[in-house]
Structures are given as structure tokens and as C-alpha cells.
Amino acid sequence: MANLKEIRNRISSVSSTMQITSAMKMVSAAKLKKAQDAITGMRPYSDKLTELLQGLSATLDADSESKYSEVRELKKVLIVAITSNRGLAGAFNANIIKEVNKLTSEKYANQEVSYLAIGKKANDAFKKTNKVIANESDLYDDLTFDNVAVIAESLMEKFVEGEFDKIEIVYNKFKNAATQIVTTEQFLPIVPVETEDTSDTFYIFEPSQLEIIDQLIPKSLKTQLYGGIRDSFASEHGARMTAMHKATDNATELRDQLKLTYNKARQAAITNEILEIVGGAEALNN
């Protein structure tokens, strides 16, 4: 009967785990809906801003290059690694850490690489290298455009002052609840975009074309970083919801197997007791 007691304890333990994973799945599903709505709400603004910037940039002279477009000899690189603060999300964080390590060891093997961690998992992974310039894990406590803009402004300042020659962002791009795409985007210097011929289009610029672009570029960069963090935030909840769904299914399957094992063991124990009783009765009769 000690074996039966052990199985009962395991059934109880698995059932408790199943309740926890099921609750976490539902919480992530609710948060995912809000995160998706936030991404959907900002994309029209982001797309229109990009369209305006491309249209203006296409009509600029080569001598009117922005300070954010300056391409320098590549010596110092900053990688912005966007992960989550918590685990239990499958390979969500591991994929980002793996991609950052790959960039460091392969693409930028001959450069000095530093990291900006957005998320505790990124900070935990890279803090041992002593190359993490900042840990912005608290950002998720109040994820707003204004708070992200502060980080973006700091990155722009570091690039302009020559502290870094290139800045890249690594994050999980949200596709759906089950699929997250590891994405690497160049943040600075700004990547020139090929645009359609706009020579026949006439614009009147007020106050001036350069001043407008000088205002649009910082906004575009802030929006790019905010969009990447928002995508990662939605991807996190999608990955966690999927992981907890699989964990709940596995726990259910394990619980059913344990119940079947318990019933078989219990039946065998009862059968043995009956055989002992029958055997004792036969011995008395003889």
C-alpha cells in the first residue's frame, strides 16, 4: 500500500501543477489580446511616419545627410537585446540570447561589442561579460512610448557622440500566438531606403525640408524601438500561452497515466488480499 500512497501523492502533485499552468495560460491569453491591440493601434502611425520620411529623404541632396546617417569605421557596436523579465515561455528568451551570441562571435568578431539589456533574462545572460552598459528591465512595469523614448534618446546621443559606431536591436517579432520570429534590425546609423522616383512630385516645405526631417528622424527612431519592444511584449505572452497550453496537456496526460497505474496497482492489491483470504480459508478447512 506504500506504493499506492506514493502514486496518490504524485497524482495530487501533477493535478496542482496542471491547475497552475492552466491559470497561467489564461492570464497570458488575456494579456496577449491587449498587447495585440497596442501593436495594431500604433502600426498606422508608424507606417505613415516611415512613408513621410522616405518621401522627404528621396528629395534631399547628398550633402544634406543627417547626423544619424553617418557611416563610420566599425569599431564599437551596441546590441540592444530585448527579452522578458520572467521565464516559462518556451524558447522565447533562449532564442534571443542565442542570436546575440551569434552576432557577437561571428558578425562582430573583430569589433568591441557592448549590450543594452531590456529584460532581466538578457541582463542575467550578459552581465557576466561586464559589457552591459545598462539594464532597463523596469521598463515593463510601465511600458509607454514616453518611457521608451527616453532610452531611444540616450541611444541616439551615444551614437552622435561617437560612443558607438553601430547600434542593432534583437527582438522577437510577433506573428501569431504560436510563432515568434527572431529579428535583428539596424537602429543606427539609419539604413537608406530605396524609394520610387518622386521627381515629378511637388512639395511646399514649411519651415524647411531639413528642419522637418530633423524632427521626423528622432520620432521615427523612437517609434522603431517602441515597436520592437511592443512586438517582443506580445510575443512573450504568445510564447508563454503556448508553452503553458502544452504543459497543461502534458500534465493531463501524465495524470491520466498515473490514475491508470494507480487503479491497476489497487486492483492487484485487492486481488492479492482476496487470494490470501481464500488461501487462509482453505487451510482452515483442511
Side-chain angles (χ1 to χ4, degrees), residues 78-80 107-108 166-170 184-187:
L78 177 66
I79 299 177
V80 181
K107 186 176 180 179
Y108 300 121
K166 188 176 184 180
I167 300 176
E168 290 204 308
I169 306 171
V170 182
T184 302
E185 286 183 1
Q186 184 167 316
F187 185 68

Side-chain angles (χ1 to χ4, degrees), residues 144-163:
T144 63
F145 180 82
D146 290 339
N147 289 337
V148 174
V150 174
I151 300 174
E153 288 171 357
S154 174
L155 294 175
M156 287 185 275
E157 183 180 345
K158 291 179 186 298
F159 176 78
V160 172
E161 292 178 351
E163 193 170 334

